[in-house]
């Protein structure tokens, strides 16, 4: 099975979900182009190429790119919030109004919420990521709001579905990155406050004994002490209870001890977790593949097999969104081409004598003939294309899309409506439909002399 970029898989999923909600997209010209492409062999490559071409036509590629930009902006907003949170933590730990700092309160202010959320993240492995990740949901919500697109929800749902196996690690990366920034800023501001003001450290407790506090301090400071952070002695810890003023080096020792706690149990823990989640996210994203065995692709796979194609006309659709003709920048040929679409069975063809410079594509009546004409035009685009239609019929969706598909391979497109006096009421409907597609009014003919003048 071929491997694809995550963004390509994201686009394919968006197209699949769009078709599931709003019905199959018209893709006749795209299917012809894919089948004629000698470089596209496997089914998953064909499905992916179809999705990319449809996404470009429907504007989904732009929507997804806009969502990616919004997601990055949302990350910057979260980073700014993390910086402000870090500053707040430092000021809460060191009360600038009172120079006496309670060690237990300062430690809880710096590490309390961090440790609580970290254990929540560990507990999330027993549940789904949606139930436990507040920051992840906030990031997705911000990304959707900043995208400001009607299809932003579709892009979001396609992203979540495509990255379902990696979502835990993506959200984990965001969560740990947020706390990594918060705690790093808190340490910087904490040290700046210690350097600019004088603080005295002590501890107070009602239910804990002095020896209990000594053991707690040594347990928490054992790992930081291995990395060079001073560990307060038992005497210093016991004397810090209302006797801090008699110990000249106690403030420095406690400052280093508190800084070590935040760096080791805060910054280092989050840094290791952040790197781990980023590596896991990249690994799982790189292993995502297109699931062509999904029932959603069964019909599409059958359509890529020539034997499964059905010949026939599209059903009438009185209300539908007309396609817009998008002329491609091609190397136009100097020849002119005339083609008839959905004419009455016994209509003589060509309906007028043709000049030697005009090529005759004949009457197109079946799906296979449509495919052949599209393949021909894709290889040999024309400078002028004249489409002869049966103006006595009501223009349906199949005709509209076919006119759009073949017109993109012509520098100029004109439409002649073969109509009699009894069907004049449909002329306005034809003109409105063709003009909505982008064909100029002066390029819509229904008088025979206009046809003769063009062919002369």
């Amino acid at each position: 099975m071929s491997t694809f970029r995550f963004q390509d898989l994201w686009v394919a999923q968006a197209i699949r979900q769009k078709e599931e909600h709003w019905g199959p997209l018209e893709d006749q010209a795209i299917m012809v182009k894919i089948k004629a492409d000698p470089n596209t062999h496997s089914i998953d490559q064909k499905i992916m190429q179809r999705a990319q071409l449809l996404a470009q036509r429907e504007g989904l590629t732009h929507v997804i790119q806009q969502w990616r930009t919004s997601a990055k902006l949302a990350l910057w907003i979260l980073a700014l919030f993390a910086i402000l949170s870090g500053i707040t933590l430092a000021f809460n730990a060191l009360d600038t109004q009172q120079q006496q700092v309670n060690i237990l309160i300062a430690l809880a202010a710096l590490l309390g919420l961090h440790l609580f959320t970290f254990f929540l993240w560990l507990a999330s492995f027993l549940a789904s990521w949606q139930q436990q990740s507040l920051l992840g949901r906030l990031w997705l919500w911000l990304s959707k709001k900043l995208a400001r697109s009607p299809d932003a929800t579709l892009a979001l749902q396609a992203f979540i579905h495509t990255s379902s196996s990696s979502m835990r690690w993506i959200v984990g990366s965001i969560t740990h990155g947020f706390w990594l920034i918060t705690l790093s800023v808190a340490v910087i501001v904490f040290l700046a406050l210690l350097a600019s003001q004088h603080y005295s450290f002590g501890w107070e407790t009602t239910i804990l004994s002095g020896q209990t506090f000594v053991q707690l301090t040594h347990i928490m400071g054992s790992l930081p002490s291995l990395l060079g952070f001073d560990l307060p002695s038992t005497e210093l810890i016991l004397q810090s209870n209302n006797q801090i003023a008699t110990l000249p080096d106690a403030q420095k020792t406690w400052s280093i001890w508190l800084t070590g706690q935040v760096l080791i149990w805060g910054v280092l823990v989050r840094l290791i977790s952040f790197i781990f989640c980023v590596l896991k996210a990249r690994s799982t994203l790189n292993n995502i593949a297109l699931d062509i065995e999904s029932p959603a692709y069964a019909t599409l796979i059958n359509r890529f097999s020539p034997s499964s194609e059905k010949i026939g006309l599209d059903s009438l659709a009185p209300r539908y969104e007309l396609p817009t003709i998008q002329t491609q920048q091609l190397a136009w040929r100097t020849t002119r081409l005339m083609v008839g679409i959905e004419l009455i069975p016994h209509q003589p063809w060509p309906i007028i004598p043709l000049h030697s410079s005009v090529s005759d594509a004949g009457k197109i009546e079946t799906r296979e003939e449509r495919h052949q004409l599209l393949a021909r035009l894709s290889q040999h685009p024309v400078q002028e294309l004249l489409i002869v239609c049966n103006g006595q019929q009501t223009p349906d969706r199949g005709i509209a899309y076919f006119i759009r598909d073949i017109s993109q391979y012509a520098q100029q497109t004109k439409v002649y409506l073969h109509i009699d006096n009894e069907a004049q009421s449909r002329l306005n409907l034809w003109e409105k439909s063709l003009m909505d597609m982008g064909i100029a009014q002066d390029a819509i003919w229904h008088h025979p002399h206009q046809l003769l003048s063009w062919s002369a």
Side-chain angles (χ1 to χ4, degrees), residues 371-407:
H371 289 183
Q372 292 175 358
L373 178 61
L374 281 169
R376 171 184 173 182
L377 288 174
S378 65
Q379 299 296 323
H380 305 285
V382 297
Q383 187 174 14
E384 294 185 49
L385 175 65
L386 176 63
I387 304 172
V388 181
C389 300
N390 183 8
Q392 299 176 189
Q393 290 185 354
T394 301
D396 62 22
R397 178 169 48 192
I399 294 176
Y401 275 103
F402 185 58
I403 291 175
R404 189 281 310 276
D405 291 339
I406 62 177
S407 296

mmCIF file of all heavy atoms in Angstrom, residues 371-407:
data_model
loop_
_atom_site.group_PDB
_atom_site.id
_atom_site.type_symbol
_atom_site.label_atom_id
_atom_site.label_comp_id
_atom_site.label_asym_id
_atom_site.label_seq_id
_atom_site.Cartn_x
_atom_site.Cartn_y
_atom_site.Cartn_z
ATOM 1 N N HIS A 371 -16.713 10.374 -22.027
ATOM 2 C CA HIS A 371 -15.357 10.104 -21.562
ATOM 3 C C HIS A 371 -14.346 10.232 -22.695
ATOM 4 O O HIS A 371 -13.244 10.770 -22.518
ATOM 5 C CB HIS A 371 -15.287 8.708 -20.961
ATOM 6 C CG HIS A 371 -16.003 8.598 -19.644
ATOM 7 N ND1 HIS A 371 -16.010 7.455 -18.895
ATOM 8 C CD2 HIS A 371 -16.720 9.520 -18.937
ATOM 9 C CE1 HIS A 371 -16.704 7.658 -17.798
ATOM 10 N NE2 HIS A 371 -17.150 8.905 -17.801
ATOM 11 N N GLN A 372 -14.698 9.715 -23.862
ATOM 12 C CA GLN A 372 -13.781 9.780 -25.012
ATOM 13 C C GLN A 372 -13.530 11.225 -25.437
ATOM 14 O O GLN A 372 -12.392 11.599 -25.757
ATOM 15 C CB GLN A 372 -14.356 8.964 -26.166
ATOM 16 C CG GLN A 372 -14.390 7.465 -25.905
ATOM 17 C CD GLN A 372 -15.079 6.698 -27.032
ATOM 18 O OE1 GLN A 372 -15.571 7.283 -28.003
ATOM 19 N NE2 GLN A 372 -15.118 5.379 -26.895
ATOM 20 N N LEU A 373 -14.585 12.051 -25.423
ATOM 21 C CA LEU A 373 -14.411 13.454 -25.809
ATOM 22 C C LEU A 373 -13.547 14.193 -24.787
ATOM 23 O O LEU A 373 -12.668 14.981 -25.152
ATOM 24 C CB LEU A 373 -15.777 14.137 -25.938
ATOM 25 C CG LEU A 373 -15.727 15.640 -26.287
ATOM 26 C CD1 LEU A 373 -15.035 15.861 -27.633
ATOM 27 C CD2 LEU A 373 -17.126 16.234 -26.289
ATOM 28 N N LEU A 374 -13.776 13.942 -23.515
ATOM 29 C CA LEU A 374 -12.972 14.586 -22.485
ATOM 30 C C LEU A 374 -11.503 14.185 -22.598
ATOM 31 O O LEU A 374 -10.605 15.018 -22.451
ATOM 32 C CB LEU A 374 -13.512 14.220 -21.103
ATOM 33 C CG LEU A 374 -14.750 14.993 -20.634
ATOM 34 C CD1 LEU A 374 -15.332 14.356 -19.383
ATOM 35 C CD2 LEU A 374 -14.398 16.446 -20.374
ATOM 36 N N ALA A 375 -11.261 12.911 -22.856
ATOM 37 C CA ALA A 375 -9.882 12.449 -23.008
ATOM 38 C C ALA A 375 -9.236 13.100 -24.226
ATOM 39 O O ALA A 375 -8.060 13.477 -24.191
ATOM 40 C CB ALA A 375 -9.861 10.926 -23.141
ATOM 41 N N ARG A 376 -10.001 13.246 -25.286
ATOM 42 C CA ARG A 376 -9.474 13.873 -26.504
ATOM 43 C C ARG A 376 -9.136 15.342 -26.261
ATOM 44 O O ARG A 376 -8.064 15.821 -26.661
ATOM 45 C CB ARG A 376 -10.514 13.750 -27.627
ATOM 46 C CG ARG A 376 -10.190 14.547 -28.885
ATOM 47 C CD ARG A 376 -11.311 14.430 -29.896
ATOM 48 N NE ARG A 376 -11.113 15.314 -31.033
ATOM 49 C CZ ARG A 376 -11.969 15.446 -32.059
ATOM 50 N NH1 ARG A 376 -13.079 14.728 -32.066
ATOM 51 N NH2 ARG A 376 -11.709 16.289 -33.046
ATOM 52 N N LEU A 377 -10.054 16.067 -25.582
ATOM 53 C CA LEU A 377 -9.808 17.485 -25.337
ATOM 54 C C LEU A 377 -8.670 17.707 -24.344
ATOM 55 O O LEU A 377 -7.951 18.706 -24.438
ATOM 56 C CB LEU A 377 -11.087 18.145 -24.813
ATOM 57 C CG LEU A 377 -12.213 18.331 -25.838
ATOM 58 C CD1 LEU A 377 -13.472 18.845 -25.161
ATOM 59 C CD2 LEU A 377 -11.785 19.284 -26.946
ATOM 60 N N SER A 378 -8.528 16.807 -23.386
ATOM 61 C CA SER A 378 -7.435 16.959 -22.431
ATOM 62 C C SER A 378 -6.078 16.840 -23.103
ATOM 63 O O SER A 378 -5.099 17.441 -22.658
ATOM 64 C CB SER A 378 -7.568 15.921 -21.311
ATOM 65 O OG SER A 378 -7.402 14.614 -21.833
ATOM 66 N N GLN A 379 -6.010 16.070 -24.182
ATOM 67 C CA GLN A 379 -4.767 15.912 -24.927
ATOM 68 C C GLN A 379 -4.617 16.957 -26.028
ATOM 69 O O GLN A 379 -3.503 17.362 -26.367
ATOM 70 C CB GLN A 379 -4.703 14.502 -25.541
ATOM 71 C CG GLN A 379 -4.732 13.377 -24.523
ATOM 72 C CD GLN A 379 -3.521 13.381 -23.622
ATOM 73 O OE1 GLN A 379 -2.413 13.690 -24.054
ATOM 74 N NE2 GLN A 379 -3.714 13.042 -22.347
ATOM 75 N N HIS A 380 -5.755 17.420 -26.579
ATOM 76 C CA HIS A 380 -5.727 18.364 -27.707
ATOM 77 C C HIS A 380 -6.760 19.467 -27.473
ATOM 78 O O HIS A 380 -7.848 19.448 -28.059
ATOM 79 C CB HIS A 380 -6.016 17.645 -29.028
ATOM 80 C CG HIS A 380 -5.097 16.490 -29.304
ATOM 81 N ND1 HIS A 380 -3.785 16.660 -29.705
ATOM 82 C CD2 HIS A 380 -5.298 15.151 -29.212
ATOM 83 C CE1 HIS A 380 -3.219 15.476 -29.859
ATOM 84 N NE2 HIS A 380 -4.116 14.541 -29.574
ATOM 85 N N PRO A 381 -6.468 20.416 -26.599
ATOM 86 C CA PRO A 381 -7.410 21.520 -26.362
ATOM 87 C C PRO A 381 -7.588 22.372 -27.614
ATOM 88 O O PRO A 381 -6.708 22.439 -28.469
ATOM 89 C CB PRO A 381 -6.741 22.302 -25.232
ATOM 90 C CG PRO A 381 -5.299 21.946 -25.317
ATOM 91 C CD PRO A 381 -5.240 20.530 -25.799
ATOM 92 N N VAL A 382 -8.725 23.026 -27.721
ATOM 93 C CA VAL A 382 -9.068 23.785 -28.925
ATOM 94 C C VAL A 382 -9.169 25.264 -28.599
ATOM 95 O O VAL A 382 -9.347 25.658 -27.439
ATOM 96 C CB VAL A 382 -10.397 23.285 -29.525
ATOM 97 C CG1 VAL A 382 -10.282 21.831 -29.963
ATOM 98 C CG2 VAL A 382 -11.535 23.458 -28.531
ATOM 99 N N GLN A 383 -9.057 26.058 -29.632
ATOM 100 C CA GLN A 383 -9.160 27.493 -29.449
ATOM 101 C C GLN A 383 -10.615 27.931 -29.352
ATOM 102 O O GLN A 383 -10.966 28.779 -28.536
ATOM 103 C CB GLN A 383 -8.476 28.226 -30.603
ATOM 104 C CG GLN A 383 -8.394 29.738 -30.404
ATOM 105 C CD GLN A 383 -7.586 30.404 -31.497
ATOM 106 O OE1 GLN A 383 -7.312 29.793 -32.530
ATOM 107 N NE2 GLN A 383 -7.208 31.641 -31.283
ATOM 108 N N GLU A 384 -11.486 27.342 -30.182
ATOM 109 C CA GLU A 384 -12.905 27.685 -30.163
ATOM 110 C C GLU A 384 -13.715 26.404 -30.093
ATOM 111 O O GLU A 384 -13.482 25.462 -30.850
ATOM 112 C CB GLU A 384 -13.309 28.474 -31.413
ATOM 113 C CG GLU A 384 -12.672 29.855 -31.507
ATOM 114 C CD GLU A 384 -13.199 30.627 -32.707
ATOM 115 O OE1 GLU A 384 -14.430 30.693 -32.879
ATOM 116 O OE2 GLU A 384 -12.375 31.129 -33.490
ATOM 117 N N LEU A 385 -14.672 26.382 -29.178
ATOM 118 C CA LEU A 385 -15.539 25.226 -29.009
ATOM 119 C C LEU A 385 -16.985 25.679 -29.129
ATOM 120 O O LEU A 385 -17.412 26.608 -28.433
ATOM 121 C CB LEU A 385 -15.311 24.583 -27.637
ATOM 122 C CG LEU A 385 -16.246 23.433 -27.266
ATOM 123 C CD1 LEU A 385 -16.034 22.240 -28.189
ATOM 124 C CD2 LEU A 385 -16.042 23.017 -25.807
ATOM 125 N N LEU A 386 -17.723 25.026 -30.019
ATOM 126 C CA LEU A 386 -19.143 25.314 -30.191
ATOM 127 C C LEU A 386 -19.925 24.088 -29.731
ATOM 128 O O LEU A 386 -19.764 22.988 -30.263
ATOM 129 C CB LEU A 386 -19.473 25.643 -31.643
ATOM 130 C CG LEU A 386 -20.961 25.878 -31.938
ATOM 131 C CD1 LEU A 386 -21.477 27.091 -31.178
ATOM 132 C CD2 LEU A 386 -21.214 26.035 -33.429
ATOM 133 N N ILE A 387 -20.765 24.284 -28.739
ATOM 134 C CA ILE A 387 -21.583 23.210 -28.196
ATOM 135 C C ILE A 387 -23.017 23.401 -28.667
ATOM 136 O O ILE A 387 -23.623 24.450 -28.414
ATOM 137 C CB ILE A 387 -21.530 23.210 -26.661
ATOM 138 C CG1 ILE A 387 -20.078 23.116 -26.173
ATOM 139 C CG2 ILE A 387 -22.348 22.063 -26.088
ATOM 140 C CD1 ILE A 387 -19.924 23.302 -24.673
ATOM 141 N N VAL A 388 -23.541 22.407 -29.361
ATOM 142 C CA VAL A 388 -24.920 22.440 -29.847
ATOM 143 C C VAL A 388 -25.767 21.608 -28.897
ATOM 144 O O VAL A 388 -25.500 20.423 -28.681
ATOM 145 C CB VAL A 388 -25.023 21.898 -31.279
ATOM 146 C CG1 VAL A 388 -26.472 21.971 -31.769
ATOM 147 C CG2 VAL A 388 -24.102 22.692 -32.216
ATOM 148 N N CYS A 389 -26.768 22.241 -28.291
ATOM 149 C CA CYS A 389 -27.630 21.560 -27.328
ATOM 150 C C CYS A 389 -29.071 21.551 -27.813
ATOM 151 O O CYS A 389 -29.491 22.407 -28.600
ATOM 152 C CB CYS A 389 -27.571 22.254 -25.965
ATOM 153 S SG CYS A 389 -25.945 22.297 -25.220
ATOM 154 N N ASN A 390 -29.822 20.611 -27.326
ATOM 155 C CA ASN A 390 -31.250 20.536 -27.601
ATOM 156 C C ASN A 390 -31.963 21.487 -26.659
ATOM 157 O O ASN A 390 -32.203 21.180 -25.499
ATOM 158 C CB ASN A 390 -31.748 19.099 -27.402
ATOM 159 C CG ASN A 390 -33.220 18.959 -27.736
ATOM 160 O OD1 ASN A 390 -33.850 19.890 -28.248
ATOM 161 N ND2 ASN A 390 -33.783 17.794 -27.438
ATOM 162 N N GLY A 391 -32.287 22.677 -27.153
ATOM 163 C CA GLY A 391 -32.913 23.696 -26.332
ATOM 164 C C GLY A 391 -34.327 23.373 -25.926
ATOM 165 O O GLY A 391 -34.915 24.094 -25.111
ATOM 166 N N GLN A 392 -34.908 22.321 -26.475
ATOM 167 C CA GLN A 392 -36.261 21.936 -26.117
ATOM 168 C C GLN A 392 -36.301 21.161 -24.803
ATOM 169 O O GLN A 392 -37.364 20.974 -24.227
ATOM 170 C CB GLN A 392 -36.885 21.096 -27.240
ATOM 171 C CG GLN A 392 -36.964 21.856 -28.544
ATOM 172 C CD GLN A 392 -37.480 21.008 -29.698
ATOM 173 O OE1 GLN A 392 -37.454 21.420 -30.841
ATOM 174 N NE2 GLN A 392 -37.945 19.812 -29.411
ATOM 175 N N GLN A 393 -35.124 20.705 -24.326
ATOM 176 C CA GLN A 393 -35.041 20.052 -23.033
ATOM 177 C C GLN A 393 -34.735 21.078 -21.951
ATOM 178 O O GLN A 393 -34.157 22.130 -22.207
ATOM 179 C CB GLN A 393 -33.932 18.994 -23.026
ATOM 180 C CG GLN A 393 -34.230 17.774 -23.874
ATOM 181 C CD GLN A 393 -33.146 16.727 -23.719
ATOM 182 O OE1 GLN A 393 -32.132 16.968 -23.072
ATOM 183 N NE2 GLN A 393 -33.352 15.563 -24.314
ATOM 184 N N THR A 394 -35.132 20.746 -20.735
ATOM 185 C CA THR A 394 -34.738 21.572 -19.594
ATOM 186 C C THR A 394 -33.306 21.228 -19.201
ATOM 187 O O THR A 394 -32.975 20.046 -19.072
ATOM 188 C CB THR A 394 -35.677 21.315 -18.397
ATOM 189 O OG1 THR A 394 -37.020 21.610 -18.787
ATOM 190 C CG2 THR A 394 -35.281 22.197 -17.219
ATOM 191 N N PRO A 395 -32.431 22.219 -19.042
ATOM 192 C CA PRO A 395 -31.027 21.910 -18.699
ATOM 193 C C PRO A 395 -30.943 21.225 -17.330
ATOM 194 O O PRO A 395 -31.381 21.775 -16.326
ATOM 195 C CB PRO A 395 -30.352 23.293 -18.672
ATOM 196 C CG PRO A 395 -31.475 24.259 -18.460
ATOM 197 C CD PRO A 395 -32.674 23.663 -19.121
ATOM 198 N N ASP A 396 -30.374 20.002 -17.323
ATOM 199 C CA ASP A 396 -30.263 19.276 -16.065
ATOM 200 C C ASP A 396 -28.819 19.308 -15.577
ATOM 201 O O ASP A 396 -27.935 19.882 -16.204
ATOM 202 C CB ASP A 396 -30.783 17.839 -16.199
ATOM 203 C CG ASP A 396 -29.986 17.024 -17.209
ATOM 204 O OD1 ASP A 396 -28.828 17.382 -17.486
ATOM 205 O OD2 ASP A 396 -30.516 16.021 -17.728
ATOM 206 N N ARG A 397 -28.584 18.662 -14.429
ATOM 207 C CA ARG A 397 -27.283 18.696 -13.799
ATOM 208 C C ARG A 397 -26.218 18.012 -14.643
ATOM 209 O O ARG A 397 -25.086 18.479 -14.737
ATOM 210 C CB ARG A 397 -27.359 18.025 -12.416
ATOM 211 C CG ARG A 397 -26.045 17.964 -11.680
ATOM 212 C CD ARG A 397 -26.254 17.546 -10.241
ATOM 213 N NE ARG A 397 -27.121 16.373 -10.142
ATOM 214 C CZ ARG A 397 -27.644 15.931 -9.005
ATOM 215 N NH1 ARG A 397 -27.413 16.574 -7.888
ATOM 216 N NH2 ARG A 397 -28.421 14.861 -8.991
ATOM 217 N N GLY A 398 -26.569 16.880 -15.273
ATOM 218 C CA GLY A 398 -25.585 16.160 -16.083
ATOM 219 C C GLY A 398 -25.073 16.995 -17.243
ATOM 220 O O GLY A 398 -23.873 17.040 -17.519
ATOM 221 N N ILE A 399 -25.984 17.678 -17.925
ATOM 222 C CA ILE A 399 -25.580 18.526 -19.049
ATOM 223 C C ILE A 399 -24.737 19.698 -18.557
ATOM 224 O O ILE A 399 -23.721 20.051 -19.164
ATOM 225 C CB ILE A 399 -26.828 19.030 -19.809
ATOM 226 C CG1 ILE A 399 -27.556 17.865 -20.484
ATOM 227 C CG2 ILE A 399 -26.440 20.084 -20.843
ATOM 228 C CD1 ILE A 399 -28.836 18.268 -21.178
ATOM 229 N N ALA A 400 -25.161 20.309 -17.448
ATOM 230 C CA ALA A 400 -24.424 21.466 -16.911
ATOM 231 C C ALA A 400 -22.988 21.104 -16.580
ATOM 232 O O ALA A 400 -22.045 21.813 -16.951
ATOM 233 C CB ALA A 400 -25.145 22.006 -15.676
ATOM 234 N N TYR A 401 -22.788 19.987 -15.913
ATOM 235 C CA TYR A 401 -21.439 19.592 -15.525
ATOM 236 C C TYR A 401 -20.609 19.166 -16.744
ATOM 237 O O TYR A 401 -19.403 19.402 -16.800
ATOM 238 C CB TYR A 401 -21.475 18.464 -14.493
ATOM 239 C CG TYR A 401 -21.619 18.969 -13.088
ATOM 240 C CD1 TYR A 401 -22.844 18.903 -12.428
ATOM 241 C CD2 TYR A 401 -20.538 19.517 -12.413
ATOM 242 C CE1 TYR A 401 -22.980 19.374 -11.129
ATOM 243 C CE2 TYR A 401 -20.658 19.985 -11.117
ATOM 244 C CZ TYR A 401 -21.885 19.914 -10.478
ATOM 245 O OH TYR A 401 -22.007 20.380 -9.195
ATOM 246 N N PHE A 402 -21.241 18.559 -17.718
ATOM 247 C CA PHE A 402 -20.491 18.148 -18.905
ATOM 248 C C PHE A 402 -20.049 19.369 -19.704
ATOM 249 O O PHE A 402 -18.930 19.420 -20.230
ATOM 250 C CB PHE A 402 -21.342 17.216 -19.769
ATOM 251 C CG PHE A 402 -20.602 16.651 -20.948
ATOM 252 C CD1 PHE A 402 -19.438 15.915 -20.770
ATOM 253 C CD2 PHE A 402 -21.049 16.861 -22.244
ATOM 254 C CE1 PHE A 402 -18.743 15.393 -21.853
ATOM 255 C CE2 PHE A 402 -20.371 16.344 -23.325
ATOM 256 C CZ PHE A 402 -19.215 15.615 -23.134
ATOM 257 N N ILE A 403 -20.926 20.377 -19.798
ATOM 258 C CA ILE A 403 -20.541 21.617 -20.474
ATOM 259 C C ILE A 403 -19.366 22.265 -19.739
ATOM 260 O O ILE A 403 -18.410 22.748 -20.351
ATOM 261 C CB ILE A 403 -21.745 22.583 -20.562
ATOM 262 C CG1 ILE A 403 -22.803 22.031 -21.526
ATOM 263 C CG2 ILE A 403 -21.292 23.976 -20.999
ATOM 264 C CD1 ILE A 403 -24.068 22.864 -21.579
ATOM 265 N N ARG A 404 -19.438 22.255 -18.400
ATOM 266 C CA ARG A 404 -18.336 22.810 -17.612
ATOM 267 C C ARG A 404 -17.035 22.053 -17.872
ATOM 268 O O ARG A 404 -15.962 22.639 -18.041
ATOM 269 C CB ARG A 404 -18.703 22.743 -16.135
ATOM 270 C CG ARG A 404 -17.764 23.470 -15.145
ATOM 271 C CD ARG A 404 -16.502 22.715 -14.806
ATOM 272 N NE ARG A 404 -16.743 21.348 -14.415
ATOM 273 C CZ ARG A 404 -17.075 20.958 -13.186
ATOM 274 N NH1 ARG A 404 -17.173 21.832 -12.231
ATOM 275 N NH2 ARG A 404 -17.280 19.669 -12.932
ATOM 276 N N ASP A 405 -17.116 20.727 -17.921
ATOM 277 C CA ASP A 405 -15.916 19.900 -18.061
ATOM 278 C C ASP A 405 -15.222 20.107 -19.404
ATOM 279 O O ASP A 405 -13.992 20.221 -19.471
ATOM 280 C CB ASP A 405 -16.276 18.422 -17.888
ATOM 281 C CG ASP A 405 -16.675 18.106 -16.460
ATOM 282 O OD1 ASP A 405 -16.307 18.878 -15.572
ATOM 283 O OD2 ASP A 405 -17.365 17.093 -16.245
ATOM 284 N N ILE A 406 -15.993 20.155 -20.485
ATOM 285 C CA ILE A 406 -15.350 20.291 -21.800
ATOM 286 C C ILE A 406 -14.967 21.739 -22.089
ATOM 287 O O ILE A 406 -14.034 21.991 -22.859
ATOM 288 C CB ILE A 406 -16.256 19.731 -22.924
ATOM 289 C CG1 ILE A 406 -17.579 20.500 -23.013
ATOM 290 C CG2 ILE A 406 -16.504 18.252 -22.726
ATOM 291 C CD1 ILE A 406 -18.478 20.036 -24.156
ATOM 292 N N SER A 407 -15.637 22.702 -21.437
ATOM 293 C CA SER A 407 -15.324 24.108 -21.696
ATOM 294 C C SER A 407 -13.977 24.510 -21.135
ATOM 295 O O SER A 407 -13.364 25.476 -21.602
ATOM 296 C CB SER A 407 -16.419 25.007 -21.104
ATOM 297 O OG SER A 407 -17.658 24.781 -21.742
#
